Amino acid sequence: MSTHTIKRLPVDTGVSGWEAISERTAPVRMLDGNVTADWLIIGAGFAGLSAARRLSQLHPGDSIVVVDAHEVAKGPAGRNSGFMIDVPHSLSSGEYSVASESATALEIAQNRFAIAFAAAAAREYGMSADTFDPSGKINAAATERGLKLNVNYAQSLERIGEKFQMFDAAQMREITGSAYYHGGIYTPGTVMIQPAQYIRDLAAGLEGKITLFERSPIVELTRQGSGWSARSHNGTVHAPKVILGVNGHIEDFGHYQGRLLHVFTYASMTAAYSDDAFRKEVPGKARWALLPADPMGATVRKISSDGLSRIVIRTKFTYDPSIQVTPERVAAVAKEQRHSLDARFPELKSTALEFSWAGRLCLSRNSAAAFGEIEENLYSACCENGLGTVKSTLAGVMAAELASGTRSEFLDSFSHAPGPSKLPPRIITKLGVSSVIHWHEFWAGREG
């Protein structure tokens, strides 16, 4: 008998603005008592809910239970920047230029499959354009170095036949209302989502097809025969097969230890302000989404609804193997973000940052997913390498197909990809990762 005792539970610091302004339609239901199901999914984020949706398609008569340690959208799934990106990049590479043509073509196809899966869910469950918007994104440059990085990116896109459009400083001002940016490169295949609302709408759309238990952290997972028993504080779920969609916390279930990097990034959202009042000061579109030309720079989005707008800014990365950061850290970063926002939009200096939060990322040294059957009838769909909206959606779908014995176009290649490589000793890893982060942030400069 194999038993995994989970001693470290998820901690998410700060209130995500995405979650705060989203809506849910159903009350929270916690696991209470003994439950038997055909399938158990641990984690109700992009991976877990995508796996649940795919299982409901493959096995419409089966009982599917999803459990989450928090409420839906209060964890990492509701804390990211909301970019569903089709053309891949490596978060640690220092630029967005794509890799070899053959590897990139496969990854683009996988990413677009995941986006199509999400788009089908958005249509089926009636998600609004505020929640799911196939608008594309802009890599914005605020320095000469940033412009050169965008040129490199454009050249690599041209080599693989991907569409793009270059913007100059005047066009960037017309789009954003800010004179901060020197140029940009637009790529059309990215979908912009309101991440918390997307996750909540996905969970609501699955109502009647799955049973969802929230605030029900699994503290022990035990193999019983060929099946599994998952115990929470007030109840237990018994199921023949289990899918783990817990990202970096897969280590706490006894797998991939010494192979995963736990990184945090930080975001703030302004209070709502009148878009009409802002337009009197500077022009600009109602919605836009900017990635930095340097991946370590500032991600900035403007969202608008009913004449009111908000700016969301994401900056800074820290390596935290404890998978936890303090409120003081979040507050300190928020002060830095205030300066970054004021440099871009001095007209908004009187508009407060209403929400500030930290979000967990899981990376591997070789940018590989923690995916596959890790014990008999126990499957992992974890380690999204900083691209959780797409990579976790894909991993969830693939895990459902793998566990079902269903062959698909992408499953073979996804299953045979190498897993996360082993890390050096902890102290060397910490020094190395922290040094790389500081070095890249230094070079990002005004892009941050």
Side-chain angles (χ1 to χ4, degrees):
M1 184 174 69
S2 175
T3 298
H4 304 288
T5 301
I6 296 86
K7 297 180 180 179
R8 183 175 60 175
L9 298 176
V11 176
D12 297 291
T13 307
V15 176
S16 162
W18 298 117
E19 186 271 327
I21 66 173
S22 67
E23 297 178 353
R24 61 175 296 153
T25 58
V28 172
R29 181 184 179 187
M30 298 172 63
L31 177 60
D32 186 12
N34 291 320
V35 176
T36 299
D38 295 307
W39 301 89
L40 170 62
I41 299 169
I42 301 174
F46 287 95
L49 291 178
S50 296
R53 183 168 187 267
R54 186 63 179 133
L55 286 176
S56 72
Q57 294 171 337
L58 293 170
H59 310 280
D62 284 4
S63 56
I64 303 166
V65 168
V66 181
V67 297
D68 197 275
H70 293 321
E71 292 180 27
V72 167
K74 289 198 172 184
R79 292 169 172 266
N80 65 75
S81 296
F83 289 71
M84 282 191 147
I85 299 174
D86 59 337
V87 180
H89 65 275
S90 171
L91 191 64
S92 60
S93 68
E95 60 179 299
Y96 288 96
S97 295
V98 296
S100 66
E101 291 187 23
S102 59
T104 298
L106 174 61
E107 196 170 356
I108 289 174
Q110 291 175 340
N111 291 350
R112 287 176 175 162
F113 169 82
I115 290 173
F117 183 87
R123 290 192 299 269
E124 183 178 347
Y125 306 145
M127 297 185 195
S128 70
D130 291 339
T131 302
F132 193 91
D133 183 10
S135 60
K137 52 86 176 168
I138 299 170
N139 286 41
T143 63
E144 288 300 314
R145 178 175 174 271
L147 290 174
K148 290 179 181 178
L149 289 173
N150 273 354
V151 169
N152 293 343
Y153 186 31
Q155 290 173 345
S156 67
L157 290 172
E158 197 166 42
R159 284 197 305 272
I160 62 173
E162 287 295 320
K163 295 179 180 179
F164 65 89
Q165 182 180 354
M166 301 298 292
F167 294 146
D168 61 21
Q171 289 170 308
M172 290 298 294
R173 180 176 174 84
E174 182 180 352
I175 292 166
T176 67
S178 173
Y180 191 83
Y181 296 104
H182 297 180
I185 177 171
Y186 169 78
T187 48
T190 293
V191 173
M192 299 309 306
I193 64 171
Q194 205 285 36
Q197 194 63 64
Y198 172 86
I199 287 294
R200 284 183 165 170
D201 287 353
L202 185 54
L206 289 167
E207 188 175 353
K209 299 176 182 178
I210 69 169
T211 301
L212 173 63
F213 296 112
E214 302 169 78
R215 297 186 202 162
S216 302
I218 299 303
V219 296
E220 188 176 84
L221 183 62
T222 303
R223 183 174 169 182
Q224 294 182 333
S226 62
W228 292 88
S229 174
R231 182 174 63 83
S232 186
H233 295 307
N234 297 307
T236 302
V237 181
H238 307 276
K241 295 186 178 184
V242 176
I243 294 174
L244 296 173
V246 294
N247 208 11
H249 276 281
I250 186 69
E251 281 190 334
D252 298 295
F253 286 80
H255 295 277
Y256 300 103
Q257 293 172 335
R259 296 177 182 271
L260 305 180
L261 299 168
H262 305 288
V263 174
F264 279 79
T265 188
Y266 303 81
S268 290
M269 177 185 285
T270 69
Y273 61 87
S274 169
D275 200 40
D276 288 339
F278 186 46
R279 285 172 186 267
K280 293 176 183 177
E281 304 279 349
V282 289
K285 295 185 177 180
R287 297 181 192 170
W288 40 259
L290 309 180
L291 285 177
D294 185 308
M296 299 301 284
T299 297
V300 188
R301 284 184 64 179
K302 181 185 178 185
I303 57 174
S304 298
S305 181
D306 299 325
L308 296 177
S309 298
R310 296 175 184 265
I311 301 288
V312 185
I313 182 167
R314 192 278 309 152
T315 63
K316 199 169 183 63
F317 295 87
T318 61
Y319 175 61
D320 294 279
S322 66
I323 321 189
Q324 183 175 352
V325 297
T326 65
E328 290 76 18
R329 168 90 64 79
V330 172
V333 174
K335 289 182 179 180
E336 297 175 11
Q337 291 171 338
R338 178 79 262 178
H339 294 307
S340 293
L341 189 64
D342 290 348
R344 289 164 170 80
F345 299 99
E347 300 84 1
L348 290 179
K349 284 186 177 181
S350 61
T351 303
L353 296 180
E354 186 174 2
F355 306 103
S356 297
W357 65 94
R360 290 178 274 128
L361 306 180
C362 177
L363 314 177
S364 63
R365 188 182 184 184
N366 58 339
S367 299
F371 177 84
E373 187 174 10
I374 50 179
E375 292 186 51
E376 184 182 2
N377 293 327
L378 179 65
Y379 302 85
S380 172
C382 300
C383 190
E384 37 64 61
N385 283 287
L387 300 168
T389 58
V390 167
K391 297 299 185 186
S392 291
T393 297
L394 177 66
V397 174
M398 295 294 99
E401 294 187 351
L402 179 64
S404 300
T406 300
R407 300 292 297 271
S408 70
E409 178 184 356
F410 296 114
L411 181 56
D412 287 344
S413 59
F414 202 74
S415 297
H416 290 98
S421 58
K422 190 174 182 180
L423 298 172
R426 286 187 179 183
I427 185 63
I428 295 176
T429 297
K430 185 172 184 177
L431 288 172
V433 174
S434 297
S435 296
V436 168
I437 289 174
H438 291 319
W439 178 254
H440 281 306
E441 287 184 337
F442 170 78
W443 278 106
R446 273 176 56 86
E447 304 295 348

